[in-house]
Amino acid sequence: MDAQDWIRLLEMEAHPEGGFYKPSFRSEETAAFHSGEKALYTSIYFLLESGEVSHLHRLKSDELWYYHAGSPLTVHIIGADGAHREEKLGLDVQAGEKPQVRVEKGSIFGSSVDRPDTFALVGCMVAPGFEFEDFELFTQAELAEAYPQHERVIKRLAYKELK
């Protein structure tokens, strides 16, 4: 199947950070967390095509990424300590890919598909559960001031200005 087949069959829609998504699961159990009562976890399907990026953003919760189909996906992470790392989400473990990747809460992160003419389909689980009020997008100017040492990734993955 190609990207458009997955988007259509999973009934995905455009995501504000880039790519396409479809909520898949939301815990019926809740608990009090950082910004009020939250679902214990939420999960989505997320699809990104070559030439697109998931723009740099931050969540107040941990996010676990799971590889499903297509090409590997690179998750670019600027941790709370300011260090940048890239995690390859895919099944070629011998080449350094991982079937699962964790993005720690408070990290700034985005993703890309580095192979041409393809896509990556992944799952993302957020715990405590995702709410858009806990989602923060960044501009290049905001991040360049805080992390000038990561200019290359910021120019590639951050919005020039928020839409």
Side-chain angles (χ1 to χ4, degrees), residues 59-105:
L59 299 179
K60 293 181 179 178
S61 300
D62 284 353
E63 184 168 40
L64 297 174
W65 292 57
Y66 302 92
Y67 176 82
H68 291 312
S71 291
L73 180 95
T74 303
V75 183
H76 306 264
I77 303 165
I78 300 173
D81 62 357
H84 171 258
R85 74 181 195 275
E86 295 180 0
E87 300 279 1
K88 288 280 192 186
L89 191 63
L91 297 180
D92 191 350
V93 178
Q94 291 178 325
E97 296 172 8
K98 300 174 182 178
Q100 300 177 10
V101 169
R102 175 180 171 228
V103 177
E104 299 82 7
K105 66 182 176 184

Side-chain angles (χ1 to χ4, degrees), residues 98-116:
K98 300 174 182 178
Q100 300 177 10
V101 169
R102 175 180 171 228
V103 177
E104 299 82 7
K105 66 182 176 184
S107 297
I108 295 170
F109 65 104
S111 60
S112 62
V113 176
D114 300 324
R115 292 185 186 165

Side-chain angles (χ1 to χ4, degrees), residues 31-43:
F33 289 102
H34 43 76
S35 56
E37 195 76 10
K38 302 261 182 222
L40 293 181
Y41 66 86
T42 56
S43 186

